[in-house]
Amino acid sequence: MTFVHPYIPNTAPESRAAMLAAVGAASIDEFYADIPESLRLNRSLDLPAPLVAEQDLARHVRGILAKNRSTQERLSFLGAGVYNHYVPAVVDEVIGRSEFLTAYAGEPYEDHGRFQALFQYQSLMAELLEMDVVNVPTYDGYQATATGLTMSGRITGRPRVLVASDVLPAKLAKVADYVRAHLTLEHVPTIDGTADIAALAAALGDDVAAVWVETPSATGAVEAALQQIADAAHAAGAVLVVGTDPIGYGILTPPSLGGADIVTGDIQSLGLHQWYGGAHGGFIAVHDDPKFIMEMPSRLFGLATTDVPGEYGFGDVAYDRTSFAHREEGKEWVGTAAALWGIAAGVYLSLMGPEGMAELGETLLARTRYAQQALAAVPGVELDDDAVHLREFTVTLAVPASDVVTALREQGIEPGVVVDSHRLLVCVTELTSQADIDTLAGALASVITPELAEENKR
């Protein structure tokens, strides 16, 4: 007998049959024919026995959640896209207010300051990045960078993108999936952690839409030759798209001053908690150039006239650019914005101010360098490059990286992310003290030194 869920009407056989008929499929299997067999589960979900009461379900879920361990409970050197920065209490207080918390994409159903708050966020981000126009946050930094590259394809009418940096594998996979219908990505291998300028110049041609640079890169390396890259890209008629994290631009030179045309990234570092995977929002920034602005598919909030002569308010700017206006005829589809996270980042930036961001940037650079030196002093640990690093760096270990992670977890330490068999990506933030770094160095020595001694005996 076919089970019909009491609260989900489309489980009824006649409803399923009607839906299959509407799409021209004879069966559920035929409907999913495009999904490769290797990706199908081909078994029932591993669900617990039905629970008879709500309190039983609550207890079950609490038991699952209790298995989690946050970075507040363990000494963490994990990064790779989600970072443990300090979040001032007032950030949570502001975004917990009902006029902000219930905002759907910043819509003004009965606006009590959402548009203005997001306008202030955009303005603060523009000042930090030294760009003119910044969008309302998109889903995350991955989408923002993918959209920036797609914009370059529309602007130039070209199909190739040269990837000049090391990119987080997850980000590269998502970006490639997003742009694959229009663009191909070609990686130019890096040298000593940063771009190989000569190889990049040789790969440029009149079919290149954009050069994509990540700075800091997947390994935390800061690109030092951005202006050279920009000059080479522009000489070939290509756009320079930079993926970045804005956390360091109180002290580092913003990509816009190095020739970047489109700057993209994630705002998780700016007042957003890690939350077991992070609250994420993507930003896209461009110069005050209609050629670029009108290709931005996401929403922009600015000053707008009202029905009252001489009165101004906050609202959508150039709304006709967006898929909200054109629907399926839009240049690029944009879904729900991460509006609440934009408000959070705006509060964070207003609290920090220029001096606070400069102090934070200096602290991150100093802590990163100290950590590099402390770990490199451990026998069996080597730094992978000589580039300037912000927050993250990789080391090569004389023993398997997974063994080190397993051993240090038993000591309550998450030493980093395994990059490959003997490489570890280590992350420090302003919340990582010098004593924390010394603890990691000592723990690494306690694991690696005995293993090296054992190998020498053999």
Side-chain angles (χ1 to χ4, degrees):
M1 182 175 177
T2 302
F3 173 73
V4 178
H5 197 284
Y7 306 120
I8 305 177
N10 62 14
T11 61
E14 57 271 23
S15 297
R16 289 192 176 196
M19 289 189 289
L20 289 171
V23 298
S27 65
I28 296 294
D29 288 339
E30 185 176 322
F31 180 77
Y32 291 117
D34 290 339
I35 299 178
E37 190 67 28
S38 61
L39 298 179
R40 301 189 194 188
L41 191 60
N42 291 320
R43 62 170 175 78
S44 298
L45 293 175
D46 183 15
L47 298 176
L51 299 165
V52 297
E54 183 177 336
Q55 64 264 28
D56 298 331
L57 175 61
R59 177 184 294 178
H60 173 72
V61 173
R62 283 197 301 270
I64 294 174
L65 294 176
K67 297 178 182 178
N68 286 328
R69 293 291 179 270
S70 76
T71 51
Q72 306 302 314
E73 303 167 71
R74 304 174 70 80
L75 180 54
S76 173
F77 296 88
L78 299 172
V82 182
Y83 301 100
N84 186 27
H85 289 285
Y86 180 69
V87 178
V90 71
V91 174
D92 292 332
E93 182 68 24
V94 171
I95 65 172
R97 293 179 61 89
S98 60
E99 62 265 41
F100 296 138
L101 185 61
T102 57
Y104 171 80
E107 290 290 354
Y109 300 122
E110 187 179 345
D111 184 47
H112 294 283
R114 290 190 289 268
F115 274 18
Q116 182 175 353
L118 286 163
F119 171 78
Q120 300 290 1
Y121 154 74
Q122 293 173 174
S123 301
L124 289 163
M125 282 291 289
E127 182 178 351
L128 180 65
L129 298 168
E130 298 206 34
M131 275 291 202
D132 302 305
V133 180
V134 178
N135 67 315
V136 173
T138 60
Y139 282 123
D140 58 22
Y142 293 7
Q143 186 207 342
T145 300
T147 292
L149 294 172
T150 304
M151 288 168 57
S152 74
R154 291 196 296 267
I155 290 168
T156 63
R158 297 174 174 182
R160 270 174 80 213
V161 171
L162 299 180
V163 186
S165 309
D166 296 319
V167 183
L168 283 170
K171 181 171 187 176
L172 185 61
K174 296 298 184 296
V175 170
D177 189 53
Y178 194 94
V179 306
R180 62 181 178 175
H182 311 288
L183 301 169
T184 58
L185 304 180
E186 181 181 320
H187 186 241
V188 180
T190 57
I191 291 181
D192 203 28
T194 55
D196 184 338
I197 306 299
L200 179 63
L204 282 164
D206 59 9
D207 61 342
V208 175
V211 174
W212 171 18
V213 174
E214 288 282 303
T215 179
S217 70
T219 64
V222 176
E223 182 52 64
L226 203 58
Q227 189 63 63
Q228 287 179 261
I229 296 171
D231 291 343
H234 294 157
V239 172
L240 177 57
V241 178
V242 174
T244 191
D245 190 309
I247 196 70
Y249 291 118
I251 190 67
L252 297 175
T253 301
S256 61
L257 300 185
D261 301 295
I262 303 173
V263 180
T264 69
D266 202 294
I267 58 174
Q268 187 271 321
S269 296
L270 304 179
L272 303 180
H273 295 278
Q274 285 185 300
W275 281 328
Y276 302 103
H280 290 280
F283 70 87
I284 306 168
V286 298
H287 296 288
D288 189 11
D289 182 344
K291 180 174 69 173
F292 287 88
I293 295 172
M294 298 310 291
E295 290 299 336
M296 295 179 74
S298 46
R299 301 177 74 177
L300 303 172
F301 291 159
L303 290 173
T305 57
T306 71
D307 293 337
V308 178
E311 180 182 80
Y312 290 86
F314 297 92
D316 280 288
V317 175
Y319 187 72
D320 194 54
R321 300 168 295 102
T322 69
S323 62
F324 298 100
H326 292 283
R327 310 312 296 174
E328 69 273 11
E329 301 301 324
K331 295 177 180 177
E332 183 178 344
W333 177 81
V334 176
T336 304
L340 186 65
W341 305 142
I343 294 173
V347 175
Y348 178 87
L349 289 173
S350 67
L351 288 168
M352 296 292 287
E355 291 185 8
M357 292 304 292
E359 182 179 336
L360 176 59
E362 290 175 351
T363 300
L364 291 174
L365 285 170
R367 292 275 165 84
T368 305
R369 188 57 187 156
Y370 180 83
Q372 287 181 298
Q373 293 173 335
L375 299 195
V378 176
V381 179
E382 293 184 6
L383 297 178
D384 286 339
D385 60 66
D386 296 321
V388 173
H389 285 254
L390 180 77
R391 199 170 51 187
E392 292 175 284
F393 58 93
T394 58
V395 293
T396 295
L397 308 175
V399 299
S402 58
D403 291 351
V404 171
V405 169
T406 299
L408 266 60
R409 278 180 178 167
E410 294 178 357
Q411 301 180 37
I413 301 172
E414 292 290 343
V417 176
V418 175
V419 178
D420 58 35
S421 60
H422 283 73
R423 292 177 68 219
L424 197 65
L425 177 69
V426 180
C427 175
V428 297
T429 71
E430 75 278 12
L431 294 180
T432 313
S433 68
Q434 180 176 327
D436 292 336
I437 295 168
D438 293 339
T439 297
L440 174 62
L444 282 172
S446 71
V447 172
I448 295 175
T449 303
E451 289 204 25
L452 287 177
E454 189 64 30
E455 287 183 8
N456 290 333
K457 287 180 182 178
R458 299 194 193 110

